[in-house]
Amino acid sequence: MAAPGVAAGGGNWFSALALGVTLLKCLLIPTYHSTDFEVHRNWLAITHSLPISQWYYEATSEWTLDYPPFFAWFEYALSHVAKYFDQEMLNIHNLNYSSSRTLLFQRFSVIFTDAVFVYAVHECCKCIDGKKAGKELTEKPKFILSVLLLWNFGLLIVDHIHFQYNGFLFGLMLLSIARLFQKRHMEGALLFAVLLHFKHIYLYVAPAYGIYLLRSYCFTANKPDGSIRWNSFSFIRLISLGLIVFLVSALSLGPFLALNQLPQVLSRLFPFKRGLCHAYWAPNFWALYNALDKVLSVIGLELKLLDPNKIPKASMTSGLVQQFQHTVLPSVTPLATLICTLMAILPSVFCLWFKPQGPRGFLRCLILCALSSFLFGWHVHEKAILLAVLPMSLLSVGKAGDASIFLILTTTGHYSLFPLLFTAPEKKRLFLIGWKLSTFSAWHLWKSSVNLYSLSLPGS
């Protein structure tokens, strides 16, 4: 898990940070885990025990495979290690199976694959230029960024207690961002294309990637006023990007297309019948919309303006994943959420196209796309806030204004994850850890005079 020092003369502080958080993750192994633990165990069993033609049809468990094919192959690879720990975890009919060896394997699989995240943070630190960094280590922007990312409280909750593989996936995203900052556009595009076929939630930020690569890579020059020089358009670069997308998609979806199963795969990836909100409401616009509808329905019943027999039976607070019909306000469709999301991201995409600010402008657009999708998307998970929090960490060590926004975003975003910790030990211990990390972040972001630092390309 450890990585080499970020810069010459920087000592081993990065390795120490990576090792320290890895040890903390090991201490969290025996803590509570959510139903996602069983979800991933079942996916190990599906991919190990069944031929590929049955992966997206298998429904013995309610936790059916609903991630893109690359993640299915990821589970398949893990299953061949899992069999040396406990063969019984790979039995499809062993629903809700758990053993000490199963627990150790699944927990350590998350910790081990976090090596991708550690490497990505290492690469992101290369994109930070602390022109007037303080003499103290804790005042250096690279050190602060490493702490903000490696010790991110949200990832600790979601991956190492709740149980998921977000560190591995966010590692791919951060690595693609780093490659774009390093002007290695093809690598950045390849990494993001691969990421989309691991987990399709990253479609939230796809507009930022698409517009940035088209504007800043396919168009090779600008006019003096910053506008597009249309005759600088490179068809070769556009074809190269298109070829990357095509080849990655063909590798991922090709086998299922050959089996005539693509519609089935897509129906699993986009299950719109799951309803507007997740069981744990994400703190977004639709949560407020649901709450308002609930208040209006209570008032309507009290004033006898509504017929109790005509109130929809499905409850939006039952914790079940299901469709819900609003009582007073108009019910929301997936199309309505798509339109709202597109309208929300349009200003940031517009600015990225007409007022490009290089990789920094791309990063701002990515964050705004993530926040817009979080606020207005269909069936948004509370964990999706990390799509904005982690990239915002990069901007927070650049300017004081960005740091203040980051502090608000990370505090509210991480607080919204606390419903995932509902057992007493985790509430007490993790709250203390989270409070200490947040205090450290707040103190050192301000102490280090972040307005003196700039996020730039290496050597610029």
Side-chain angles (χ1 to χ4, degrees):
M1 292 297 297
V6 173
N12 296 319
W13 59 262
F14 186 86
S15 298
L17 286 175
L19 178 61
V21 76
T22 301
L23 294 176
L24 175 59
K25 294 169 184 177
C26 292
L27 292 176
L28 296 176
I29 287 176
T31 57
Y32 147 84
H33 55 77
S34 72
T35 53
D36 279 330
F37 185 87
E38 168 62 14
V39 169
H40 288 280
R41 186 214 61 80
N42 186 55
W43 292 358
L44 288 172
I46 290 174
T47 55
H48 185 83
S49 306
L50 299 176
I52 186 176
S53 60
Q54 298 181 36
W55 285 2
Y56 286 93
Y57 283 95
E58 166 58 33
T60 301
S61 168
E62 61 183 313
W63 311 119
T64 54
L65 180 59
D66 58 5
Y67 273 25
F70 278 179
F71 200 92
W73 287 110
F74 172 73
E75 294 278 7
Y76 174 79
L78 288 179
S79 73
H80 285 277
V81 181
K83 65 184 180 182
Y84 295 108
F85 283 75
D86 187 347
Q87 186 71 33
E88 289 302 309
M89 79 171 84
L90 303 177
N91 187 333
I92 292 176
H93 301 288
N94 278 351
L95 301 183
N96 299 311
Y97 178 80
S98 182
S99 68
S100 59
R101 292 187 177 185
T102 300
L103 175 66
L104 286 174
F105 169 75
Q106 292 200 234
R107 288 295 198 191
F108 276 118
S109 69
V110 177
I111 295 172
F112 178 78
T113 55
D114 273 356
V116 176
F117 185 75
V118 173
Y119 175 69
V121 174
H122 179 264
E123 290 299 298
C124 285
C125 286
K126 293 180 180 179
C127 302
I128 300 296
D129 179 24
K131 294 181 178 179
K132 297 182 180 181
K135 295 181 179 179
E136 296 294 328
L137 175 63
T138 55
E139 296 179 0
K140 296 182 182 296
K142 293 181 179 181
F143 177 82
I144 296 172
L145 178 62
S146 297
V147 173
L148 293 178
L149 291 174
L150 293 176
W151 288 75
N152 183 271
F153 182 50
L155 275 181
L156 289 175
I157 293 177
V158 174
D159 279 7
H160 302 281
I161 297 180
H162 187 76
F163 192 84
Q164 281 189 349
Y165 292 89
N166 292 287
F168 166 68
L169 298 172
F170 276 116
L172 292 176
M173 187 182 81
L174 290 178
L175 191 55
S176 73
I177 292 173
R179 292 298 181 247
L180 294 184
F181 269 86
Q182 296 163 359
K183 294 187 176 181
R184 295 157 67 173
H185 297 90
M186 295 292 284
E187 289 181 43
L190 175 62
L191 285 166
F192 185 68
V194 169
L195 177 61
L196 285 179
H197 288 273
F198 267 100
K199 192 170 183 179
H200 49 306
I201 193 175
Y202 294 94
L203 282 170
Y204 287 172
V205 297
Y209 275 89
I211 295 299
Y212 176 71
L213 288 170
L214 182 62
R215 178 67 175 82
S216 300
Y217 180 66
C218 293
F219 286 95
T220 59
N222 294 326
K223 294 180 180 179
D225 61 358
S227 59
I228 298 176
R229 190 181 296 276
W230 292 98
N231 60 2
S232 69
F233 182 75
S234 172
F235 281 101
I236 294 178
R237 291 190 173 189
L238 179 63
I239 292 172
S240 298
L241 290 175
L243 191 60
I244 285 177
V245 174
F246 173 78
L247 291 177
V248 172
S249 299
L251 184 62
S252 172
L253 301 174
F256 301 96
L257 185 62
L259 293 168
N260 199 29
Q261 293 183 358
L262 189 57
Q264 174 65 17
V265 174
L266 295 178
S267 69
R268 286 283 184 88
L269 299 184
F270 302 98
F272 292 113
K273 291 184 179 181
R274 286 189 174 183
L276 177 62
C277 291
H278 190 249
Y280 289 114
W281 287 7
N284 61 8
F285 177 81
W286 303 120
L288 296 176
Y289 189 88
N290 285 347
L292 178 60
D293 183 76
K294 191 71 174 180
V295 170
L296 293 176
S297 65
V298 170
I299 294 174
L301 290 172
E302 289 292 329
L303 299 178
K304 297 183 178 180
L305 298 175
L306 296 175
D307 183 355
N309 297 321
K310 295 183 179 180
I311 300 296
K313 299 299 181 183
S315 171
M316 58 180 148
T317 58
S318 67
L320 298 175
V321 176
Q322 59 182 317
Q323 288 181 303
F324 170 79
Q325 297 297 317
H326 291 90
T327 304
V328 179
L329 299 176
S331 294
V332 181
T333 64
L335 179 60
T337 63
L338 176 62
I339 293 173
C340 290
T341 303
L342 292 176
M343 290 177 63
I345 70 173
L346 191 59
S348 59
V349 171
F350 181 90
C351 289
L352 185 61
W353 180 266
F354 290 100
K355 297 180 179 180
Q357 299 176 10
R360 189 183 185 86
F362 156 73
L363 190 55
R364 291 187 184 280
C365 183
L366 182 148
I367 294 166
L368 290 172
C369 286
L371 286 173
S372 298
S373 300
F374 180 81
L375 288 174
F376 299 106
W378 177 267
H379 196 73
V380 175
H381 290 226
E382 70 290 332
K383 301 178 283 291
I385 192 61
L386 295 177
L387 265 171
V389 170
L390 293 173
M392 191 68 200
S393 303
L394 289 162
L395 290 182
S396 70
V397 294
K399 291 184 178 180
D402 292 328
S404 62
I405 294 173
F406 171 77
L407 290 176
I408 296 172
L409 178 62
T410 190
T411 301
T412 55
H414 290 164
Y415 180 78
S416 70
L417 297 176
F418 267 80
L420 299 178
L421 304 176
F422 55 82
T423 59
E426 283 72 33
K427 281 184 178 179
K428 294 177 182 177
R429 297 169 188 169
L430 267 297
F431 181 83
L432 180 61
I433 294 173
W435 177 258
K436 288 183 177 179
L437 288 177
S438 299
T439 303
F440 173 89
S441 303
W443 173 250
H444 287 289
L445 275 174
W446 290 109
K447 181 183 176 183
S448 58
S449 302
V450 292
N451 59 309
L452 296 179
Y453 304 141
S454 63
L455 188 64
S456 64
L457 296 172
S460 63

